[in-house]
Amino acid sequence: MDEDGCDTKSEDFGQIRIDRPFYEDKQLREDFCYQKPKGPNVAKEWSRNFRFKKLLVQTIPVLDWLVKYSWKHDFVKDIISGITVAIMHIPQGMAYAMLGNVPAVVGIYMAFFPVMIYFIFGTSKHNSMGTFSVACLMTGKAVLEYSDPSYFSTKGNIDGSTLIEPTGYSPIQVATAVTFIVALFQLAMYFLRLGAISALLSETLVSGFTTGAAIHVLVSQIKDLFGLQIPKFKGNFSNVYTIIAIFGELSKTNAAALIISFITIVISVLNNDFFKPIVARVSPLPFPMELIAVVVGTLMSKYCNLEASYQIRVVGDIPVGLPEPTLPEFSLLSNLIVDGITISIVTYTINLSMALIFAQKLNYEVDANQELLAMGLSNIFGSFFSCMPVCASLSRSLIQQVVGGVSQIASIISCIILLTVLLWIGPFFQALPKAVLASVIVVALKGMLMQVLDFWKFWKLSKIDALVWLGTFLSVVFIGIDIGLLCGVGLSLASIFFLSFKPHTCLLGHVANTDFYLDIKRYKAARELDGIKIFHYAGGINFATKSIFKSDLIRLIGINPQKEVVNRAKLAKYMGKVDECKINSENLTNKLEKVQNKVNTKLRCLILDFSSVSHIDPSGVSMLKSITDSFMKLGIPVYIAHCKEPVYEMLTKVYPDYTAKIGFRSFPTVHDAVHYATVLFSNSMNSSISTINIQF
């Protein structure tokens, strides 16, 4: 025992007994009837998976879950949940519509038309579809880029250097065109079964991206919080230009707007941090502070005539009734491809992430590909009714679940209430100050802004992940949302590429009286066996990593076989010329003996542990053969242990006769290889290696 209580005493290997015959890989496969699995029967798989009834239920999930719905026990819960979510939709929808540079009523449209389609095709029971700050902001970028500037600031619209020529398109036309192309991409992803594409957006990337987008949202609302007249900037670095313009206009702050913003923010924060937890102990229904702020702000603006008296900017005209169905402007689609791709991936990833959270929490299944179909059809339908791309909102979805919502019937209840607002109540909010909506947005951003602390969490867990987070965040904040997302994906892929070039390698040692072989640098109880080196490699061996495998092997075992072979050849050549040159051969003879003994005393057998080798390509096999041949020239056998079937098949495919070569053998476990080498050392040199049959 050492001072840490570890048993580091070297034990005789023969003390271990495993009650099974000794195996090599080739014999193991013969004895246990190994057969490479056949590919699936495409016709049978297609027939089984695409039967009409099964396909119908998979495509329209409401047909399945609605017949099982418990109207007696669950309907009241969904009514309460639907009413609560509808109350949240009104202020959030109007506020987030401002981020999209479209009329406030569009936010309520988004909580009505697409939601009805998601009810039919969606698989999440608790996702609250509608407006989402990041999606609306990304859409607003395209709206600002391609809409007629006369719809916005009276000072014009600039991108930092040049004026944008008017296009004649209204913000609604651009927004619906974005929605339509987002739908096309999502439907294309569904038919191509690309639901797993969301895996490209890691937790690190999503955190950095949404935090950076939250900064964009915050900056975009400062002008309304302070009542400033600032032109809308387009293109890259728009955030920087906006911040510079804000500092240039701070002296012109509208005091009345600032007071309204300050009061709304303070009351909302106090409600969220102090009052809401108290209410939660008494009632499952949250206190609708946002709606109260909107109603009170509207009443004060209307009866105190804030717009005329204090130049407070208000929401303005809100039409009564439902919008007429209109086809999107197809002439715009070619200009919106990049925006469509980014928005479709971001909204789908966020939507699926939230759906999976609730599904795991409440033990039901969510179909990733079906979610693509549901979102695509929802956006197609919404694009005909003046809607921006929809996405699930974390705050609304959480409330929908917390207050007892059981299914998407809660969303239908919410739609019915919002229909009432659209038909009769909408014009009431025309006098609502934009400062109130900006305050609602800023308070709602708290959760995303606090994600900045995630950087330190990722830094502690992985420096590479932290750099991905930081690179994504900074590129989103200072360059642009779409460029930032592209940079984030690039950094994530680069990190994967970098990690694949840093495989884990180590030497394994034996733990006495066990069949464990562990990293000798991490386990004090693991001791190297005399004359045997066990090299562990974790990762793939291919044309790109073969040099890393070779260099790490040479570094860890301390022997370069190819160099040693060359040294031996040189000394042997010199020894042949000793008599001709009439020089003293004693020194050369000693050198040759040292070269021969150096390798043989240090290493008599090399075992390659392939238990963590996931893949090997022909280039890797060629490298492996070259190294093996070099060791064999030194009289050192090389054994492969714990080789996965696909790796073994590649070895035998590239070199079918390699298992027949003396010194290059494959074993099912490291233990088999070590035992074979140990017995081989103890047998006489005349023993036939190929006929040894060991019971242990």
Side-chain angles (χ1 to χ4, degrees):
M1 293 286 186
D2 66 3
E3 60 183 6
D4 294 324
C6 292
D7 184 4
T8 58
K9 182 179 178 181
S10 178
E11 299 287 347
D12 180 18
F13 189 80
Q15 290 181 352
I16 304 173
R17 179 175 179 81
I18 298 177
D19 192 17
R20 68 166 173 82
F22 161 78
Y23 277 106
E24 287 188 60
D25 272 330
K26 184 177 180 181
Q27 189 64 41
L28 182 77
R29 283 159 172 75
E30 291 177 359
D31 288 356
F32 294 98
C33 307
Y34 174 77
Q35 183 179 12
K36 186 176 181 180
K38 297 179 180 179
N41 187 313
V42 178
K44 288 184 178 179
E45 289 290 325
W46 183 274
S47 175
R48 182 169 61 250
N49 292 331
F50 291 89
R51 292 174 182 169
F52 179 76
K53 183 177 179 180
K54 182 178 181 181
L55 179 62
L56 187 64
V57 171
Q58 285 180 341
T59 307
I60 311 177
V62 70
L63 298 178
D64 180 44
W65 65 261
L66 192 58
V67 296
K68 304 173 184 176
Y69 183 76
S70 176
W71 295 93
K72 181 178 179 181
H73 297 96
D74 297 335
F75 187 55
V76 174
K77 298 177 182 177
D78 278 334
I79 290 177
I80 296 173
S81 177
I83 294 172
T84 307
V85 171
I87 291 172
M88 294 184 67
H89 265 301
I90 296 171
Q92 281 193 4
M94 297 175 68
Y96 291 156
M98 292 172 54
L99 295 177
N101 293 310
V102 293
V105 72
V106 170
I108 302 179
Y109 293 159
M110 293 171 63
F112 179 73
F113 293 103
V115 172
M116 293 190 295
I117 303 300
Y118 187 84
F119 166 80
I120 298 172
F121 295 97
T123 58
S124 174
K125 299 179 181 180
H126 298 93
N127 271 6
S128 176
M129 305 300 290
T131 54
F132 181 67
S133 58
V134 175
C136 292
L137 183 70
M138 296 175 73
T139 306
K141 170 186 168 295
V143 169
L144 187 62
E145 187 74 23
Y146 296 103
S147 298
D148 191 319
S150 62
Y151 285 96
F152 304 112
S153 173
T154 56
K155 293 186 178 182
N157 295 273
I158 60 174
D159 59 3
S161 58
T162 60
L163 289 172
I164 302 298
E165 292 296 326
T167 63
Y169 295 116
S170 70
I172 290 293
Q173 288 177 316
V174 179
T176 54
V178 171
T179 306
F180 186 78
I181 200 165
V182 166
L184 293 183
F185 278 116
Q186 289 173 339
L187 291 176
M189 289 165 62
Y190 165 74
F191 287 113
L192 295 174
R193 316 304 289 174
L194 296 179
I197 198 171
S198 62
L200 289 176
L201 303 185
S202 63
E203 178 189 357
T204 309
L205 187 154
V206 171
S207 175
F209 174 78
T210 53
T211 308
I215 299 295
H216 264 276
V217 175
L218 178 63
V219 171
S220 70
Q221 296 309 299
I222 291 178
K223 61 181 178 60
D224 288 324
L225 293 174
F226 287 79
L228 303 176
Q229 294 288 336
I230 295 176
K232 292 180 178 291
F233 296 91
K234 304 187 180 87
N236 297 332
F237 307 103
S238 59
N239 228 19
V240 177
Y241 295 133
T242 301
I243 292 172
I244 293 173
I246 287 171
F247 279 104
E249 296 288 325
L250 274 180
S251 59
K252 301 177 182 178
T253 298
N254 186 314
L258 184 60
I259 292 172
I260 292 172
S261 302
F262 178 78
I263 294 174
T264 305
I265 291 175
V266 169
I267 293 177
S268 297
V269 170
L270 291 175
N271 171 69
N272 291 339
D273 293 344
F274 300 103
F275 188 59
K276 187 177 289 185
I278 296 174
V279 174
R281 300 192 196 106
V282 180
S283 170
L285 299 177
F287 187 70
M289 178 55 70
E290 293 85 357
L291 182 62
I292 291 175
V294 167
V295 171
V296 172
T298 303
L299 291 173
M300 289 186 61
S301 175
K302 184 175 182 179
Y303 291 106
C304 296
N305 200 16
L306 296 181
E307 182 180 12
S309 301
Y310 300 98
Q311 291 74 52
I312 296 293
R313 299 174 64 194
V314 298
V315 169
D317 181 56
I318 296 180
V320 176
L322 301 178
E324 294 184 2
T326 307
L327 288 175
E329 288 291 336
F330 297 113
S331 59
L332 271 170
L333 298 186
S334 60
N335 298 323
L336 299 170
I337 291 176
V338 174
D339 296 285
I341 292 174
T342 54
I343 296 173
S344 62
I345 293 176
V346 168
T347 54
Y348 170 65
T349 301
I350 293 172
N351 188 75
L352 183 62
S353 299
M354 294 181 188
L356 291 174
I357 290 172
F358 291 115
Q360 183 178 10
K361 180 180 179 181
L362 300 170
N363 194 29
Y364 64 89
E365 295 295 325
V366 169
D367 188 327
N369 277 300
Q370 182 65 26
E371 286 297 299
L372 278 171
L373 177 64
M375 293 188 69
L377 293 177
S378 297
N379 282 321
I380 284 277
F381 189 64
S383 68
F384 298 144
F385 292 95
S386 305
C387 292
M388 293 186 291
V390 292
C391 182
S393 163
L394 178 59
S395 59
R396 293 195 310 269
S397 301
L398 185 61
I399 290 298
Q400 183 166 318
Q401 184 265 321
V402 167
V403 300
V406 177
S407 71
Q408 283 295 332
I409 286 180
S411 297
I412 295 299
I413 301 299
S414 175
C415 287
I416 294 172
I417 296 172
L418 292 174
L419 179 62
T420 304
V421 174
L422 290 171
L423 293 178
W424 294 289
I425 306 176
F428 168 77
F429 296 106
Q430 290 181 164
L432 174 64
K434 288 189 174 182
V436 173
L437 291 180
S439 302
V440 170
I441 293 175
V442 170
V443 174
L445 287 175
K446 179 184 176 183
M448 285 200 292
L449 292 173
M450 292 301 293
Q451 287 179 163
V452 72
L453 301 176
D454 286 352
F455 173 75
W456 303 111
K457 178 186 74 174
F458 291 123
W459 183 263
K460 293 177 182 178
L461 296 175
S462 168
K463 302 297 186 292
I464 294 178
D465 280 348
L467 291 177
V468 171
W469 189 99
L470 186 62
T472 305
F473 172 78
L474 293 178
S475 57
V476 169
V477 171
F478 292 105
I479 302 177
I481 292 180
D482 48 355
I483 299 297
L485 179 63
L486 183 62
C487 289
V489 172
L491 289 171
S492 293
L493 295 177
S495 68
I496 296 172
F497 189 72
F498 175 74
L499 291 174
S500 68
F501 273 81
K502 289 194 66 179
H504 173 64
T505 57
C506 65
L507 290 180
L508 303 182
H510 175 237
V511 179
N513 297 318
T514 72
D515 60 347
F516 292 154
Y517 295 86
L518 306 175
D519 186 347
I520 58 175
K521 287 188 176 181
R522 287 179 165 83
Y523 294 90
K524 291 185 177 182
R527 311 293 291 182
E528 282 193 280
L529 299 170
D530 293 338
I532 299 177
K533 295 285 187 181
I534 307 172
F535 176 71
H536 176 80
Y537 181 93
I541 305 175
N542 51 52
F543 69 93
T545 59
K546 63 181 182 180
S547 59
I548 299 175
F549 179 95
K550 183 177 179 180
S551 61
D552 281 9
L553 173 63
I554 293 171
R555 175 176 56 84
L556 288 173
I557 67 174
I559 296 173
N560 187 334
Q562 294 170 334
K563 186 177 180 181
E564 295 295 341
V565 169
V566 172
N567 289 340
R568 284 190 181 189
K570 286 181 179 179
L571 287 172
K573 181 179 179 181
Y574 293 148
M575 287 295 295
K577 296 182 178 181
V578 167
D579 292 335
E580 296 177 10
C581 299
K582 296 180 181 180
I583 60 175
N584 187 353
S585 65
E586 183 177 354
N587 290 337
L588 287 175
T589 302
N590 290 337
K591 286 184 178 180
L592 182 59
E593 289 177 354
K594 285 182 180 179
V595 170
Q596 292 172 338
N597 294 332
K598 173 186 175 183
V599 176
N600 291 334
T601 56
K602 185 175 182 179
L603 180 62
R604 291 190 294 168
C605 175
L606 173 63
I607 298 174
L608 305 177
D609 177 19
F610 274 17
S611 59
S612 299
V613 174
S614 57
H615 171 264
I616 188 168
D617 69 358
S619 298
V621 178
S622 298
M623 176 274 301
L624 200 61
K625 182 178 181 297
S626 174
I627 291 178
T628 302
D629 290 343
S630 299
F631 276 110
M632 289 173 64
K633 289 177 182 178
L634 299 176
I636 301 171
V638 178
Y639 303 149
I640 293 179
H642 215 143
C643 188
K644 298 291 191 295
E645 278 71 14
V647 176
Y648 181 84
E649 288 164 5
M650 179 59 71
L651 291 172
T652 55
K653 189 183 297 183
V654 178
Y655 293 106
D657 62 338
Y658 95 95
T659 53
K661 294 183 178 181
I662 301 299
F664 193 23
R665 293 179 176 272
S666 179
F667 299 87
T669 68
V670 173
H671 198 66
D672 285 88
V674 170
H675 200 99
Y676 182 88
T678 304
V679 175
L680 179 63
F681 297 159
S682 65
N683 280 274
S684 65
M685 297 300 296
N686 295 326
S687 298
S688 175
I689 297 175
S690 61
T691 59
I692 293 177
N693 186 15
I694 304 171
Q695 298 285 337
F696 64 103

Coordinates of all heavy atoms in Angstrom, one line a residue, residues 344-381:
S344 N -35.6 30.3 -40.1 CA -36.2 29.0 -40.1 C -35.5 28.1 -39.1 O -36.1 27.3 -38.3 CB -36.3 28.4 -41.5 OG -35.0 28.2 -42.0
I345 N -34.1 28.1 -39.2 CA -33.3 27.2 -38.3 C -33.4 27.7 -36.9 O -33.6 26.9 -36.0 CB -31.9 27.2 -38.8 CG1 -31.8 26.5 -40.2 CG2 -31.0 26.4 -37.8 CD1 -30.4 26.5 -40.8
V346 N -33.3 29.0 -36.7 CA -33.3 29.5 -35.3 C -34.7 29.3 -34.6 O -34.8 28.8 -33.5 CB -33.0 31.0 -35.3 CG1 -33.3 31.6 -33.9 CG2 -31.6 31.3 -35.6
T347 N -35.8 29.6 -35.3 CA -37.1 29.4 -34.7 C -37.4 27.9 -34.5 O -38.0 27.5 -33.5 CB -38.2 30.0 -35.6 OG1 -38.1 29.4 -37.0 CG2 -38.1 31.5 -35.7
Y348 N -37.0 27.0 -35.4 CA -37.2 25.6 -35.2 C -36.4 25.1 -34.1 O -36.9 24.3 -33.3 CB -36.8 24.8 -36.5 CG -36.8 23.3 -36.3 CD1 -38.0 22.7 -36.0 CD2 -35.6 22.6 -36.4 CE1 -37.9 21.3 -35.8 CE2 -35.6 21.3 -36.2 CZ -36.7 20.6 -35.9 OH -36.7 19.2 -35.6
T349 N -35.2 25.5 -33.9 CA -34.3 25.0 -32.8 C -34.9 25.4 -31.5 O -35.0 24.6 -30.5 CB -32.9 25.6 -33.0 OG1 -32.4 25.1 -34.2 CG2 -32.0 25.1 -31.9
I350 N -35.3 26.7 -31.4 CA -35.9 27.2 -30.1 C -37.2 26.5 -29.8 O -37.4 26.0 -28.7 CB -36.1 28.7 -30.2 CG1 -34.7 29.4 -30.2 CG2 -36.9 29.2 -29.0 CD1 -34.8 30.9 -30.5
N351 N -38.0 26.3 -30.8 CA -39.3 25.7 -30.7 C -39.1 24.2 -30.2 O -39.8 23.7 -29.3 CB -40.1 25.7 -32.0 CG -41.5 25.2 -31.8 OD1 -42.3 25.9 -31.3 ND2 -41.7 24.0 -32.3
L352 N -38.2 23.5 -30.9 CA -38.0 22.1 -30.5 C -37.3 21.9 -29.1 O -37.7 21.0 -28.4 CB -37.1 21.4 -31.6 CG -36.8 19.9 -31.4 CD1 -38.1 19.1 -31.4 CD2 -35.8 19.4 -32.4
S353 N -36.4 22.8 -28.8 CA -35.8 22.8 -27.5 C -36.8 22.9 -26.4 O -36.8 22.2 -25.4 CB -34.7 23.9 -27.4 OG -33.7 23.7 -28.3
M354 N -37.7 23.9 -26.5 CA -38.8 24.1 -25.5 C -39.7 22.8 -25.5 O -40.1 22.4 -24.4 CB -39.6 25.3 -25.8 CG -38.8 26.6 -25.7 SD -39.8 28.1 -26.0 CE -38.5 29.3 -26.0
A355 N -40.1 22.3 -26.7 CA -41.0 21.2 -26.7 C -40.3 20.0 -26.0 O -41.0 19.2 -25.3 CB -41.3 20.8 -28.2
L356 N -39.0 19.8 -26.2 CA -38.4 18.6 -25.6 C -38.3 18.8 -24.1 O -38.3 17.8 -23.3 CB -37.0 18.5 -26.2 CG -36.9 18.0 -27.6 CD1 -35.5 18.0 -28.2 CD2 -37.5 16.6 -27.8
I357 N -38.1 20.0 -23.6 CA -38.0 20.3 -22.2 C -39.3 19.9 -21.5 O -39.4 19.2 -20.5 CB -37.8 21.8 -21.9 CG1 -36.3 22.1 -22.3 CG2 -38.0 22.1 -20.4 CD1 -36.0 23.6 -22.2
F358 N -40.5 20.3 -22.1 CA -41.8 20.0 -21.5 C -42.1 18.5 -21.7 O -42.7 17.8 -20.8 CB -42.9 20.8 -22.1 CG -42.8 22.3 -21.7 CD1 -42.6 23.2 -22.7 CD2 -43.0 22.7 -20.4 CE1 -42.5 24.6 -22.4 CE2 -42.9 24.0 -20.1 CZ -42.7 25.0 -21.1
A359 N -41.7 17.9 -22.8 CA -41.9 16.5 -23.0 C -41.2 15.6 -22.0 O -41.7 14.6 -21.5 CB -41.5 16.1 -24.4
Q360 N -39.9 16.0 -21.7 CA -39.2 15.2 -20.8 C -39.7 15.4 -19.4 O -39.8 14.4 -18.6 CB -37.7 15.7 -20.8 CG -36.8 14.9 -19.9 CD -35.3 15.3 -20.0 OE1 -35.0 16.3 -20.7 NE2 -34.4 14.6 -19.4
K361 N -40.1 16.6 -19.1 CA -40.6 16.9 -17.7 C -42.0 16.2 -17.5 O -42.2 15.7 -16.3 CB -40.8 18.4 -17.6 CG -41.4 18.8 -16.2 CD -41.5 20.4 -16.2 CE -42.1 20.8 -14.8 NZ -42.2 22.3 -14.8
L362 N -42.8 16.1 -18.5 CA -44.2 15.5 -18.3 C -44.3 14.2 -19.0 O -45.5 13.7 -19.1 CB -45.2 16.5 -18.8 CG -45.2 17.9 -18.1 CD1 -46.0 18.9 -18.8 CD2 -45.6 17.8 -16.7
N363 N -43.3 13.6 -19.4 CA -43.2 12.2 -19.9 C -44.2 12.0 -21.1 O -45.1 11.1 -21.1 CB -43.6 11.2 -18.8 CG -43.3 9.8 -19.1 OD1 -42.4 9.5 -19.8 ND2 -44.0 8.9 -18.5
Y364 N -43.9 12.7 -22.2 CA -44.6 12.4 -23.4 C -43.6 12.6 -24.6 O -42.5 13.1 -24.4 CB -45.9 13.2 -23.6 CG -45.7 14.7 -23.7 CD1 -45.5 15.3 -25.0 CD2 -45.8 15.5 -22.6 CE1 -45.4 16.7 -25.1 CE2 -45.7 16.9 -22.7 CZ -45.5 17.5 -24.0 OH -45.4 18.8 -24.1
E365 N -44.0 12.2 -25.8 CA -43.1 12.2 -26.9 C -43.3 13.4 -27.8 O -44.5 13.8 -28.0 CB -43.2 10.9 -27.7 CG -42.8 9.6 -27.0 CD -41.4 9.6 -26.7 OE1 -40.6 10.1 -27.5 OE2 -41.0 9.0 -25.6
V366 N -42.2 13.9 -28.4 CA -42.3 15.0 -29.4 C -41.5 14.5 -30.6 O -40.4 14.0 -30.5 CB -41.6 16.3 -28.8 CG1 -41.4 17.3 -29.9 CG2 -42.5 16.9 -27.7
D367 N -42.2 14.7 -31.8 CA -41.6 14.2 -33.0 C -40.9 15.4 -33.7 O -41.5 16.4 -34.0 CB -42.7 13.7 -34.0 CG -42.1 13.1 -35.2 OD1 -41.0 13.5 -35.7 OD2 -42.7 12.1 -35.7
A368 N -39.5 15.3 -33.8 CA -38.7 16.5 -34.3 C -39.1 16.8 -35.7 O -39.2 18.0 -36.1 CB -37.2 16.1 -34.2
N369 N -39.3 15.8 -36.6 CA -39.6 16.1 -38.0 C -41.1 16.6 -38.1 O -41.4 17.5 -38.9 CB -39.5 14.8 -38.8 CG -38.0 14.7 -39.2 OD1 -37.4 15.5 -39.9 ND2 -37.4 13.6 -38.8
Q370 N -42.0 16.1 -37.3 CA -43.4 16.6 -37.3 C -43.5 18.0 -36.9 O -44.3 18.8 -37.4 CB -44.2 15.7 -36.4 CG -45.7 16.1 -36.4 CD -46.4 15.9 -37.8 OE1 -46.0 15.0 -38.6 NE2 -47.4 16.6 -38.0
E371 N -42.6 18.4 -36.0 CA -42.5 19.8 -35.6 C -42.2 20.7 -36.8 O -42.7 21.9 -36.9 CB -41.6 20.0 -34.4 CG -42.0 19.5 -33.1 CD -43.3 20.2 -32.6 OE1 -43.2 21.5 -32.4 OE2 -44.3 19.6 -32.5
L372 N -41.3 20.2 -37.6 CA -41.0 21.0 -38.9 C -42.2 21.2 -39.7 O -42.5 22.3 -40.3 CB -39.9 20.3 -39.6 CG -38.5 20.5 -39.2 CD1 -37.5 19.5 -39.9 CD2 -38.0 21.9 -39.4
L373 N -43.0 20.1 -39.9 CA -44.2 20.2 -40.7 C -45.2 21.2 -40.1 O -45.8 22.0 -40.7 CB -44.9 18.8 -40.8 CG -46.2 18.8 -41.6 CD1 -46.0 19.2 -43.0 CD2 -46.8 17.4 -41.5
A374 N -45.4 21.1 -38.7 CA -46.3 21.9 -38.0 C -45.9 23.4 -38.2 O -46.8 24.3 -38.5 CB -46.4 21.5 -36.6
M375 N -44.6 23.7 -38.0 CA -44.2 25.1 -38.1 C -44.3 25.6 -39.5 O -44.7 26.7 -39.8 CB -42.8 25.2 -37.6 CG -42.6 25.0 -36.1 SD -41.0 25.4 -35.5 CE -41.0 27.1 -35.6
G376 N -43.9 24.7 -40.5 CA -44.0 25.1 -41.9 C -45.4 25.4 -42.3 O -45.6 26.5 -43.0
L377 N -46.3 24.6 -42.0 CA -47.7 24.8 -42.4 C -48.3 26.0 -41.6 O -49.1 26.8 -42.2 CB -48.6 23.6 -42.1 CG -48.3 22.4 -43.0 CD1 -49.1 21.2 -42.6 CD2 -48.4 22.7 -44.5
S378 N -47.9 26.2 -40.4 CA -48.4 27.4 -39.6 C -47.9 28.7 -40.2 O -48.7 29.6 -40.4 CB -47.9 27.3 -38.2 OG -48.4 26.2 -37.5
N379 N -46.6 28.7 -40.7 CA -46.1 29.9 -41.3 C -46.7 30.1 -42.7 O -46.9 31.3 -43.1 CB -44.6 29.8 -41.4 CG -43.9 30.1 -40.0 OD1 -44.4 31.0 -39.3 ND2 -42.9 29.3 -39.7
I380 N -46.9 29.0 -43.4 CA -47.6 29.2 -44.7 C -49.0 29.9 -44.6 O -49.3 30.8 -45.3 CB -47.8 27.8 -45.4 CG1 -46.5 27.3 -46.0 CG2 -48.9 27.9 -46.5 CD1 -46.1 27.8 -47.3
F381 N -49.7 29.4 -43.6 CA -51.1 29.9 -43.4 C -50.9 31.3 -42.9 O -51.7 32.2 -43.3 CB -51.8 29.0 -42.3 CG -53.2 29.4 -42.2 CD1 -54.1 29.2 -43.2 CD2 -53.7 29.9 -40.9 CE1 -55.5 29.6 -43.0 CE2 -55.0 30.2 -40.8 CZ -55.9 30.0 -41.8

